[in-house]
Amino acid sequence: MKVFRQIWTIIVSVALLLALWEAIVRFSDISPALLPSPLVVLKAIAELCRNGSLRQNITDSLWRFAIGYVLAISAGTILGILVGWYKSIFDYLNPILQFLRPIAPVAWMPFIVLFWGIGDLPAIVIIFIAAFFPVLLTTARAVINLDPVYLKISANYGVKSPSILWKIVFPAVFPQIANSFHIALGSAWIFLVSGEMVGTQSGLGFMIVDARNNMRSDHLLAAMVLVGAIGLILDLLIGKAELAILKFWGQTDVH
Amino acid sequence: MYIEIEHARKTFLKQSGETFTALEDVTLSIERGEFVCLLGASGCGKTTLMNTIAGFESLTSGSIRIDGKPVRGPRQDYVMIFQQYGLLPWRSVRKNVELGLESKKISRAERSRIAEEYLKLVGLSGFAEQYPRNLSGGQQQRVAIARALAVKPEILFMDEPFGALDPITRCRLQLDLQRIVRNETHTVIFVTHDIDEAICLADRIVLMEADPGRIKNIFPVKLNRPRYRSSPDFIAMRQRILREFFPVNDTQIEYFI
C-alpha cells in the first residue's frame, strides 16, 4: 500500500512537471528552437541513443565518477578515522578544512588544468574534491563523538590501539560514514557536469557544452534530463544501501 | 582485604565554574568473593565510586588498592557490565562473547567452545548466530554477562545492569544472576537504586547519600538464597533500609518503587 502510494506520488509529480513544461512551450512566445517541448527532447534522447553517442557519454561519465568518488570516500574514511581518533590532529586540521571547504571544487579547475593538463583527470579531481570533504568531516566528528562505552569495553576486553580502529571504531561509526557517503554522492554528482565542461571530449558535461556550441537546445535538455535521472537513480540505490546498513546495525529507529 | 578504598574523594568542575563533590571521604573494604551493592538515589556518587574502582576515572585524592596494588587504569581482569549492554551490533552473539578472548592466546575452536559454554550458562544456547538487534533487552544483557564471564574476570562491575528492563524480566535476571555468580565465585560490585534488587542480590549493601556523595550506612544481608521478596525477613530488611531514607514517617511506607 505504502509502495503504491509512493509510486503514485512520483508519477503525479513527474506528470505535473511535464505538463508545466509543455504549457510553457505552447503558450509562451519562446521559440521552440530555444525551448523544445518534452516530446522533442524525448526524440532527441532516442536519436542520441540510436547513434550510440549517449551510451558512450554515460559510460565515460560514470567511469570518471566512480573513480573520483571511490577514491574520495576511501581517503575520506581512512583520514577521517585517524584525524578523529588523534583528536589533536583534528584540532589543527579543522580550521584549514573549514577554510578550504567553502571553495567550490570548480574553483580549483585552472590549477588542475595547469598541473595535470586536460583529459579525464580534471573531472576526476573535481569529483574527488566534492566528495572528499563531507566524508572526512562526518567521519572525524563521528569518531570524536564515539559512545564512550565502546572505549570502556575495549579497555576491559584487551582491544588495543591500533587494532581498536578497525575492530571497534570503524564499525561503530559505520552508519554515520554510510550517511556521509550518501550526502557525498549527491554533491559529487552535481559537480560531475562542471568537471566535464572543461577539457573532456566525452561525458554528460561535454554533451552540454557540445550542444551549446551547436545551438542544439534539444540535446542540451536531453543531457540535463539524463543527469537528473541518473543522479536520482544513484541516490535511490545508495539510500537503499544505507537503510540496509542501518538495519544491520539495529539503528532503524534513528530515522 | 581484597579491595581497599581509603578516603576517596572526587570532585568535578561544573560548567558554571563551581566544583561539584561527587565523592567525599569514602572508606570501604571489600572481601574477595563478596557481592556488594552500592545503593542510593541519583547523584549520590555510586557510579562514580564504581568507575574509580574499575579504573575508568581517577580520584582527586585518597587511594584505592585491589589485592594490595593501587588502581592505575582499566584492566582486563576487572570487567564492567553496563545498563545499555554495550554489545557490538555488527557482531553476532557468539562473536560478541568471544571479544575478550581474542586478545588472549586461545585458538578459534576453543574460543567458540568457551562462548557456547557461557551462552549456555546464561540460557541463550540457541542464539549464538543471532545479532543483538534480534534480541530483547533482557537477552542482550544476558549476552553481555556471558561476554564478561567468558574472560574469567576477578571482579565484575555492574552499573545498574537491569535498570532498562521491565520488572518481570528484571526479577528473572536477578534470580539467574544469583545462581550464575554463586557458581563462578567472583567478587561483584553492583550499582543500583532499587532497594529490592539490592536485598535480593547483595552480601552487603552500601547505602550512599548525595551532596556530597558519601557512605551513609552499611548493611550486611544475612538472608538465605534464593531470596524471595515476599519472605518476612526480606520485608523486614526492606523496612530497615527504607527507615534510613525516610526516618520520620516510617510506618506509612509500605511500598517503594
Side-chain angles (χ1 to χ4, degrees), chain B residues 3-34:
Chain B
I3 303 174
E4 283 180 282
I5 304 155
E6 279 172 350
H7 306 294
R9 187 178 139 84
K10 173 83 180 171
T11 55
F12 296 100
L13 204 60
K14 284 201 280 193
Q15 270 182 338
S16 56
E18 312 162 58
T19 44
F20 171 74
T21 309
L23 290 175
E24 177 77 345
D25 196 24
V26 170
T27 297
L28 177 69
S29 301
I30 295 167
E31 267 181 82
R32 196 185 283 273
E34 201 177 7

Short mmCIF file of all heavy atoms in Angstrom, two decimals, chain B residues 3-34:
data_model
loop_
_atom_site.label_atom_id
_atom_site.label_comp_id
_atom_site.label_asym_id
_atom_site.label_seq_id
_atom_site.Cartn_x
_atom_site.Cartn_y
_atom_site.Cartn_z
N ILE B 3 39.72 -5.50 48.28
CA ILE B 3 39.65 -4.14 47.74
C ILE B 3 39.64 -3.16 48.92
O ILE B 3 38.83 -3.31 49.85
CB ILE B 3 38.38 -3.94 46.90
CG1 ILE B 3 38.33 -4.97 45.77
CG2 ILE B 3 38.30 -2.51 46.34
CD1 ILE B 3 37.05 -4.94 44.97
N GLU B 4 40.53 -2.22 48.89
CA GLU B 4 40.59 -1.24 49.99
C GLU B 4 40.51 0.18 49.45
O GLU B 4 41.38 0.62 48.69
CB GLU B 4 41.86 -1.42 50.79
CG GLU B 4 41.76 -2.61 51.72
CD GLU B 4 43.02 -2.81 52.53
OE1 GLU B 4 43.99 -3.34 51.97
OE2 GLU B 4 43.03 -2.42 53.71
N ILE B 5 39.45 0.85 49.85
CA ILE B 5 39.24 2.24 49.41
C ILE B 5 39.45 3.12 50.63
O ILE B 5 38.79 2.92 51.66
CB ILE B 5 37.82 2.42 48.84
CG1 ILE B 5 37.57 1.41 47.72
CG2 ILE B 5 37.59 3.84 48.36
CD1 ILE B 5 36.12 1.08 47.51
N GLU B 6 40.36 4.07 50.54
CA GLU B 6 40.65 4.91 51.71
C GLU B 6 40.53 6.39 51.38
O GLU B 6 41.21 6.88 50.48
CB GLU B 6 42.06 4.59 52.22
CG GLU B 6 42.05 3.34 53.09
CD GLU B 6 43.44 2.87 53.47
OE1 GLU B 6 44.43 3.40 52.92
OE2 GLU B 6 43.52 1.97 54.31
N HIS B 7 39.65 7.04 52.10
CA HIS B 7 39.44 8.49 52.00
C HIS B 7 39.32 8.95 50.54
O HIS B 7 39.92 9.94 50.14
CB HIS B 7 40.59 9.24 52.69
CG HIS B 7 40.78 8.79 54.10
ND1 HIS B 7 39.84 9.00 55.08
CD2 HIS B 7 41.80 8.10 54.69
CE1 HIS B 7 40.26 8.48 56.21
NE2 HIS B 7 41.44 7.91 56.00
N ALA B 8 38.56 8.19 49.78
CA ALA B 8 38.40 8.53 48.37
C ALA B 8 37.60 9.82 48.23
O ALA B 8 36.55 9.99 48.84
CB ALA B 8 37.69 7.40 47.64
N ARG B 9 38.12 10.71 47.40
CA ARG B 9 37.46 11.99 47.17
C ARG B 9 37.54 12.30 45.69
O ARG B 9 38.59 12.10 45.05
CB ARG B 9 38.19 13.06 47.97
CG ARG B 9 37.52 14.40 47.99
CD ARG B 9 38.34 15.34 48.88
NE ARG B 9 38.42 16.64 48.24
CZ ARG B 9 37.46 17.57 48.35
NH1 ARG B 9 36.42 17.34 49.11
NH2 ARG B 9 37.56 18.71 47.72
N LYS B 10 36.43 12.72 45.14
CA LYS B 10 36.40 13.01 43.70
C LYS B 10 35.60 14.27 43.47
O LYS B 10 34.43 14.36 43.88
CB LYS B 10 35.75 11.83 42.96
CG LYS B 10 35.52 12.07 41.48
CD LYS B 10 36.75 11.81 40.66
CE LYS B 10 36.49 12.06 39.19
NZ LYS B 10 37.74 12.00 38.43
N THR B 11 36.23 15.26 42.84
CA THR B 11 35.49 16.49 42.53
C THR B 11 35.54 16.75 41.03
O THR B 11 36.48 16.36 40.34
CB THR B 11 36.09 17.70 43.26
OG1 THR B 11 37.48 17.78 42.92
CG2 THR B 11 35.94 17.59 44.76
N PHE B 12 34.48 17.34 40.53
CA PHE B 12 34.40 17.76 39.13
C PHE B 12 34.28 19.27 39.09
O PHE B 12 33.72 19.87 40.01
CB PHE B 12 33.16 17.18 38.44
CG PHE B 12 33.14 15.70 38.36
CD1 PHE B 12 32.40 14.94 39.26
CD2 PHE B 12 33.84 15.04 37.36
CE1 PHE B 12 32.37 13.57 39.18
CE2 PHE B 12 33.81 13.66 37.27
CZ PHE B 12 33.07 12.92 38.17
N LEU B 13 34.75 19.84 37.99
CA LEU B 13 34.50 21.26 37.76
C LEU B 13 33.27 21.36 36.87
O LEU B 13 33.28 20.88 35.74
CB LEU B 13 35.72 21.90 37.09
CG LEU B 13 35.89 23.40 37.29
CD1 LEU B 13 36.02 23.74 38.77
CD2 LEU B 13 37.11 23.89 36.53
N LYS B 14 32.22 21.95 37.40
CA LYS B 14 31.00 22.08 36.59
C LYS B 14 31.18 23.18 35.55
O LYS B 14 32.09 23.99 35.65
CB LYS B 14 29.80 22.43 37.49
CG LYS B 14 29.31 21.22 38.26
CD LYS B 14 27.87 21.39 38.72
CE LYS B 14 27.77 22.23 39.97
NZ LYS B 14 26.44 22.15 40.61
N GLN B 15 30.28 23.19 34.57
CA GLN B 15 30.41 24.20 33.51
C GLN B 15 30.22 25.62 34.03
O GLN B 15 30.79 26.56 33.49
CB GLN B 15 29.41 23.91 32.38
CG GLN B 15 30.03 23.00 31.34
CD GLN B 15 29.10 22.72 30.18
OE1 GLN B 15 27.89 22.86 30.31
NE2 GLN B 15 29.66 22.33 29.06
N SER B 16 29.46 25.73 35.10
CA SER B 16 29.25 27.05 35.69
C SER B 16 30.50 27.53 36.44
O SER B 16 30.56 28.66 36.88
CB SER B 16 28.05 26.99 36.64
OG SER B 16 28.28 25.99 37.61
N GLY B 17 31.48 26.63 36.61
CA GLY B 17 32.70 27.02 37.28
C GLY B 17 32.78 26.56 38.73
O GLY B 17 33.85 26.58 39.33
N GLU B 18 31.65 26.10 39.29
CA GLU B 18 31.68 25.61 40.67
C GLU B 18 32.27 24.21 40.69
O GLU B 18 32.19 23.49 39.71
CB GLU B 18 30.26 25.53 41.25
CG GLU B 18 29.39 26.73 41.04
CD GLU B 18 27.93 26.36 41.24
OE1 GLU B 18 27.60 25.89 42.34
OE2 GLU B 18 27.12 26.53 40.30
N THR B 19 32.81 23.83 41.83
CA THR B 19 33.24 22.43 41.96
C THR B 19 32.11 21.62 42.56
O THR B 19 31.39 22.06 43.45
CB THR B 19 34.48 22.29 42.86
OG1 THR B 19 34.29 23.11 44.00
CG2 THR B 19 35.75 22.71 42.13
N PHE B 20 31.97 20.42 42.00
CA PHE B 20 30.94 19.50 42.46
C PHE B 20 31.64 18.32 43.10
O PHE B 20 32.54 17.71 42.50
CB PHE B 20 30.10 19.05 41.25
CG PHE B 20 29.15 17.95 41.56
CD1 PHE B 20 28.00 18.19 42.28
CD2 PHE B 20 29.42 16.65 41.11
CE1 PHE B 20 27.12 17.16 42.56
CE2 PHE B 20 28.53 15.62 41.38
CZ PHE B 20 27.38 15.87 42.11
N THR B 21 31.26 18.01 44.33
CA THR B 21 31.91 16.90 45.02
C THR B 21 31.11 15.64 44.82
O THR B 21 30.03 15.47 45.40
CB THR B 21 32.05 17.21 46.53
OG1 THR B 21 32.65 18.50 46.66
CG2 THR B 21 32.90 16.18 47.22
N ALA B 22 31.62 14.74 43.97
CA ALA B 22 30.90 13.50 43.68
C ALA B 22 31.12 12.48 44.78
O ALA B 22 30.23 11.70 45.11
CB ALA B 22 31.35 12.94 42.34
N LEU B 23 32.33 12.49 45.35
CA LEU B 23 32.64 11.57 46.45
C LEU B 23 33.37 12.34 47.52
O LEU B 23 34.29 13.10 47.24
CB LEU B 23 33.54 10.43 45.97
CG LEU B 23 32.96 9.38 45.03
CD1 LEU B 23 34.05 8.43 44.60
CD2 LEU B 23 31.83 8.62 45.70
N GLU B 24 32.95 12.12 48.78
CA GLU B 24 33.59 12.83 49.88
C GLU B 24 34.01 11.81 50.93
O GLU B 24 33.17 11.19 51.56
CB GLU B 24 32.60 13.87 50.45
CG GLU B 24 33.10 14.61 51.65
CD GLU B 24 34.09 15.72 51.29
OE1 GLU B 24 34.60 15.74 50.16
OE2 GLU B 24 34.35 16.56 52.15
N ASP B 25 35.31 11.63 51.07
CA ASP B 25 35.88 10.79 52.13
C ASP B 25 35.20 9.41 52.23
O ASP B 25 34.63 9.07 53.26
CB ASP B 25 35.78 11.53 53.47
CG ASP B 25 36.69 10.90 54.51
OD1 ASP B 25 37.67 10.24 54.11
OD2 ASP B 25 36.39 11.06 55.71
N VAL B 26 35.30 8.66 51.16
CA VAL B 26 34.71 7.32 51.16
C VAL B 26 35.77 6.30 51.56
O VAL B 26 36.83 6.22 50.94
CB VAL B 26 34.14 6.97 49.77
CG1 VAL B 26 33.75 5.51 49.70
CG2 VAL B 26 32.95 7.86 49.45
N THR B 27 35.48 5.56 52.61
CA THR B 27 36.38 4.48 53.03
C THR B 27 35.58 3.20 53.09
O THR B 27 34.51 3.15 53.70
CB THR B 27 37.01 4.80 54.39
OG1 THR B 27 37.81 5.98 54.26
CG2 THR B 27 37.89 3.65 54.87
N LEU B 28 36.07 2.18 52.40
CA LEU B 28 35.29 0.93 52.29
C LEU B 28 36.24 -0.22 51.97
O LEU B 28 37.18 -0.05 51.20
CB LEU B 28 34.26 1.08 51.15
CG LEU B 28 33.38 -0.12 50.80
CD1 LEU B 28 32.41 -0.41 51.93
CD2 LEU B 28 32.62 0.16 49.51
N SER B 29 36.00 -1.36 52.57
CA SER B 29 36.79 -2.55 52.26
C SER B 29 35.87 -3.64 51.75
O SER B 29 34.75 -3.80 52.24
CB SER B 29 37.53 -3.07 53.49
OG SER B 29 38.36 -2.06 54.00
N ILE B 30 36.32 -4.36 50.76
CA ILE B 30 35.51 -5.43 50.18
C ILE B 30 36.33 -6.71 50.16
O ILE B 30 37.50 -6.70 49.76
CB ILE B 30 35.04 -5.05 48.76
CG1 ILE B 30 34.11 -3.82 48.83
CG2 ILE B 30 34.32 -6.21 48.08
CD1 ILE B 30 33.84 -3.16 47.50
N GLU B 31 35.70 -7.79 50.59
CA GLU B 31 36.41 -9.07 50.63
C GLU B 31 36.35 -9.76 49.27
O GLU B 31 35.43 -9.53 48.48
CB GLU B 31 35.72 -10.00 51.63
CG GLU B 31 36.30 -9.94 53.01
CD GLU B 31 35.58 -10.91 53.92
OE1 GLU B 31 35.91 -12.10 53.89
OE2 GLU B 31 34.65 -10.47 54.63
N ARG B 32 37.31 -10.65 49.05
CA ARG B 32 37.29 -11.45 47.83
C ARG B 32 36.04 -12.33 47.82
O ARG B 32 35.67 -12.92 48.83
CB ARG B 32 38.53 -12.34 47.77
CG ARG B 32 38.83 -12.91 46.41
CD ARG B 32 39.98 -13.86 46.49
NE ARG B 32 41.27 -13.20 46.57
CZ ARG B 32 41.98 -12.80 45.50
NH1 ARG B 32 41.52 -13.00 44.28
NH2 ARG B 32 43.13 -12.22 45.66
N GLY B 33 35.36 -12.37 46.68
CA GLY B 33 34.18 -13.22 46.56
C GLY B 33 32.90 -12.58 47.09
O GLY B 33 31.84 -13.17 47.04
N GLU B 34 33.00 -11.37 47.58
CA GLU B 34 31.83 -10.72 48.16
C GLU B 34 30.97 -10.08 47.06
O GLU B 34 31.50 -9.63 46.04
CB GLU B 34 32.29 -9.63 49.13
CG GLU B 34 31.23 -9.24 50.13
CD GLU B 34 31.73 -8.20 51.15
OE1 GLU B 34 32.86 -7.69 51.00
OE2 GLU B 34 30.98 -7.91 52.07
#
